[in-house]
Amino acid sequence: MDKLLISGGRPLSGEVRISGAKNAALPILAATLLTQAPVVLENVPELRDIATMLKLLSQLGVRYRFGANTLEIEASKPESVLAPYELVRTMRASILVLGPLLARCGEAIVSLPGGCAIGARPVDLHLKGLKALGADIRVEAGYIHARAKRLKGCRLVLDQVTVTGTENLMMAAVLAQGKTVIENAAREPEVTDLAEFLVKLGAKISGIGSDVLEIEGVDGLDSGPVHHVILPDRIETGTYLTAAAITQGCIRTTHTRPELLDAVLDKLKEAGAAIIHGPDWIELSQTSRPRAVSFHTAPYPGFPTDMQAQLMALNCIAEGVGIITETIFENRFMHALELRRMGADITLEGHTAICRGVAKLEGAPVCASDLRASASLVLAALAAEGETVIDRIYHIDRGYERIEAKLAKLGATVQRIRE
Ligand code: EPU
């Protein structure tokens, strides 16, 4: 398993180009199952999770060519409706093929995702919604078997805000008979990007960007070739800006969208950063020790759970005490235990982490437990004195494109140790 070796303690500076958003690309890739039209997607990040989704789609009969962040993809004739355990267990987002397969082929057999490091992460709301749309759903021997000649539009009120749940149900509803209304829908920008892509395919969706999506089902989504540019990754943007804050450096992120990061930028400003931005760039400079910040995670436009670990790393070396409450996932503090090994003073009390800033972190061998936890360890390592070796770095390759190259360009001393 690859490791990252980081020698910390120097301010980062320079410009970094932000990649396309993993969490927008994944559902959009799954959505290509809904049409036989050729699709060209640009700004697709080259990540492990994208490779996994492409592997799954090719097993379903989808043809593609991928290079230089451009994906030409065509699902002219799906050949299978099976998403096997071997792939789903490596990436939970495989569940995103459930809605499109069911809508296009009338059947889907998808391995039930298990829990993961950050929580139990059930998919009951996906299944409840599909049942309400008229699907016959059975779970047998670890697989979801879903069937419906044609789904029928209805009103769905989601018990809880769910990102991939909203995406799955929206993708299923676009080919249903009649109108579907999804209330308490997730408003994450990645859901909006998917909706905009579906509209390009010929779907009829209104309320895009709000928590009530109205979908008028159509008979087919084959209006012709479609071109779409994947939304920039707001979490990657926030992670690099936090790298500037934690190292007291100055970084400009380009090819991004400042308006998608309000909650994160507010916290970074509260920590003492000076932030300026243009329409597609954000620059952060930090000239003194950051101040600790307190927040709770919440669905968009609240503070994203996917940035919680990174801001915790910032709090570790900040002045004062920061209190972080995680409200989305029940076990998303694994990084705290590793940060402590680098000298951080963090107390965990249920869903709350109390961080008392220390003057310096010290490099140490640490182990990544999930994608954003790895990002927080990278940030801590960049600020720490001495060398940090981060094990299980495959987690970071799932969601950060060419991270060592990007960090090295910003002046970090970072090296991948291949094993
Ligand atoms: N939930 C249920 N039942 C369901 C679905 C969700 O109880 O049927 C619960 C979850 O257990 C969780 C909450 O609802 O407590 C919200 O989960 P959600 O469904 O929104 O999460 P997700 O769709 O599985 C996506 C992202 C995650 C991100 C979350 C929250 C993708 C592929 N994944 O997951 O991204 O943390 O939304 O914003 O879009 C990451 O990129 O590192 C990552 C984990």
Side-chain angles (χ1 to χ4, degrees):
M1 264 179 263
D2 289 4
K3 296 178 180 152
L4 272 190
L5 171 65
I6 296 180
S7 297
R10 64 171 68 158
L12 297 195
S13 68
E15 218 174 80
V16 59
R17 184 187 172 130
I18 296 305
S19 301
K22 164 180 84 78
N23 290 348
L26 289 172
I28 289 174
L29 258 66
T32 62
L33 284 166
L34 289 164
T35 179
Q36 50 183 335
V39 172
V40 177
L41 298 173
E42 281 183 54
N43 206 29
V44 179
E46 289 177 21
L47 297 170
R48 245 170 59 113
D49 274 9
I50 298 296
T52 306
M53 182 58 93
L54 286 171
K55 194 167 171 194
L56 172 57
L57 292 176
S58 69
Q59 288 189 10
L60 298 173
V62 175
R63 311 251 178 275
Y64 69 87
R65 272 215 326 245
F66 187 30
N69 300 108
T70 300
L71 177 67
E72 295 169 51
I73 186 162
E74 196 172 317
S76 46
K77 210 167 134 251
E79 287 157 9
S80 162
V81 292
L82 174 71
Y85 174 66
E86 296 69 49
L87 283 178
V88 178
R89 74 171 186 173
T90 65
M91 186 186 68
R92 301 178 48 84
S94 309
I95 190 74
L96 286 165
V97 300
L98 177 61
L101 277 179
L102 181 61
R104 172 102 182 264
C105 308
E107 189 183 6
I109 305 169
V110 177
S111 171
L112 192 64
C116 82
I118 62 175
R121 304 184 73 181
V123 291
D124 55 315
L125 301 174
H126 303 227
L127 303 189
K128 189 174 165 197
L130 292 175
K131 273 187 199 158
L133 286 164
D136 171 40
I137 308 262
R138 283 171 300 125
V139 178
E140 278 170 11
Y143 276 82
I144 303 161
H145 294 252
R147 261 211 184 90
K149 264 208 177 101
R150 186 167 182 196
L151 295 166
K152 285 201 175 59
C154 69
R155 178 167 167 259
L156 300 169
V157 184
L158 301 182
D159 299 346
Q160 195 173 341
V161 177
T162 159
V163 174
T164 50
T166 302
E167 291 166 346
N168 239 336
L169 296 171
M170 177 164 60
M171 290 189 280
V174 289
L175 287 178
Q177 192 176 33
K179 182 172 168 175
T180 301
V181 180
I182 307 178
E183 291 188 27
N184 200 25
R187 285 183 285 165
E188 268 64 9
E190 295 75 22
V191 178
T192 297
D193 205 33
L194 169 66
E196 284 168 357
F197 173 70
L198 293 171
V199 168
K200 287 183 187 169
L201 291 183
K204 294 192 174 146
I205 307 174
S206 58
I208 295 175
S210 80
D211 61 355
V212 182
L213 295 168
E214 292 195 9
I215 302 145
E216 195 65 58
V218 295
D219 294 337
L221 290 173
D222 299 311
S223 53
V226 169
H227 174 257
H228 187 75
V229 182
I230 303 290
L231 176 87
D233 197 317
R234 64 194 165 101
I235 306 300
E236 190 197 20
T237 308
T239 303
Y240 282 104
L241 293 175
T242 310
I246 203 168
T247 62
Q248 295 188 31
C250 176
I251 291 179
R252 178 179 284 215
T253 53
T254 68
H255 299 79
T256 189
R257 296 252 305 266
E259 73 277 14
L260 306 180
L261 279 121
D262 286 336
V264 173
L265 298 185
D266 276 357
K267 284 297 146 190
L268 289 169
K269 281 181 200 159
E270 212 180 298
I275 298 180
I276 53 170
H277 66 81
D280 64 352
W281 58 267
I282 310 171
E283 187 176 295
L284 182 146
S285 87
Q286 179 93 31
T287 50
S288 55
R289 185 177 173 196
R291 285 189 293 274
V293 290
S294 298
F295 60 90
H296 67 273
T297 60
Y300 189 83
F303 189 94
T305 174
D306 289 346
M307 278 298 299
Q308 177 257 106
Q310 297 88 319
L311 269 276
M312 189 185 291
L314 183 71
N315 274 349
C316 289
I317 51 95
E319 212 175 314
V321 181
I323 298 173
I324 300 177
T325 303
E326 171 60 52
T327 73
I328 308 289
F329 292 112
E330 64 272 23
N331 192 30
R332 212 175 196 181
F333 282 149
M334 301 282 278
H335 43 280
L337 309 176
E338 295 300 294
L339 291 169
R340 270 192 203 155
R341 301 191 55 258
M342 299 176 71
D345 180 354
I346 305 170
T347 310
L348 297 180
E349 278 177 18
H351 293 297
T352 298
I354 303 153
C355 314
R356 292 176 184 82
V358 295
K360 277 255 176 294
L361 291 175
E362 266 177 53
V366 289
C367 189
S369 54
D370 71 85
L371 171 57
R372 309 305 170 186
S374 334
S376 80
L377 296 176
V378 168
L379 295 177
L382 291 169
E385 228 161 51
E387 281 192 345
T388 298
V389 178
I390 308 173
D391 202 352
R392 300 197 175 211
I393 206 66
Y394 62 87
H395 288 293
I396 214 160
D397 296 330
R398 298 184 58 174
Y400 288 88
E401 194 177 35
R402 292 182 294 106
I403 187 160
E404 329 78 286
K406 289 189 184 189
L407 285 174
K409 194 172 161 249
L410 294 169
T413 308
V414 50
Q415 189 190 336
R416 181 178 290 252
I417 306 167
R418 296 192 189 272
E419 280 185 7

